[in-house]
């Protein structure tokens, strides 16, 4: 976890692979986000042990995107109710 040129390097482990993430977000943010992805991949692998790493990654991305979209819709609905 080093800073270089204003960028923060964070080493994470997702699906038994190690990645170095470089960005502006603090390391704790990157670790939390990568932990969610890793948890989703593990969940999917437990349910579908025959899936390839690529299939697991795509399904994890789709599941997380679905959760994000649902949350955004809920926030929009709450804002409409406040108005």
């Amino acid at each position: 976890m080093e800073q270089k040129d204003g960028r923060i390097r964070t080493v994470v482990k997702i699906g038994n692979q190690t990645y170095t993430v470089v960005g502006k977000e603090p390391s704790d943010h990157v670790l939390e986000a990568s932990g969610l992805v890793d948890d989703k991949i593990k969940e999917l692998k437990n349910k579908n042990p025959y899936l390839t790493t690529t299939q697991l990654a795509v399904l994890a991305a789709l599941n997380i995107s679905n959760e994000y979209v649902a949350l955004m819709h809920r926030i929009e609905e709450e804002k409409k109710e406040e108005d």
Side-chain angles (χ1 to χ4, degrees):
M1 296 182 228
E2 305 170 8
Q3 278 193 328
K4 185 177 181 181
D5 300 331
R7 297 179 299 165
I8 302 169
R9 302 171 64 84
T10 306
V11 177
V12 300
K13 191 168 184 180
I14 302 172
N16 296 321
Q17 295 287 322
T18 302
Y19 301 92
T20 301
V21 179
V22 181
K24 295 180 180 180
E25 294 83 8
S27 291
D28 59 339
H29 174 89
V30 175
L31 290 169
E32 183 177 2
S34 67
L36 292 172
V37 174
D38 189 49
D39 289 347
K40 186 60 72 176
I41 287 175
K42 287 177 184 173
E43 174 188 327
L44 291 166
K45 187 170 181 77
N46 285 337
K47 292 179 182 177
N48 307 287
Y50 56 87
L51 294 176
T52 67
T53 302
T54 301
Q55 289 171 321
L56 288 167
V58 169
L59 286 175
L62 183 58
N63 275 260
I64 292 167
S65 295
N66 181 57
E67 293 169 6
Y68 174 78
V69 169
L71 179 61
M72 295 306 295
H73 285 240
R74 193 166 77 221
I75 290 170
E76 287 175 15
E77 288 301 316
E78 288 176 3
K79 284 183 180 179
K80 286 179 184 177
E81 290 173 6
E82 289 176 2
D83 292 339

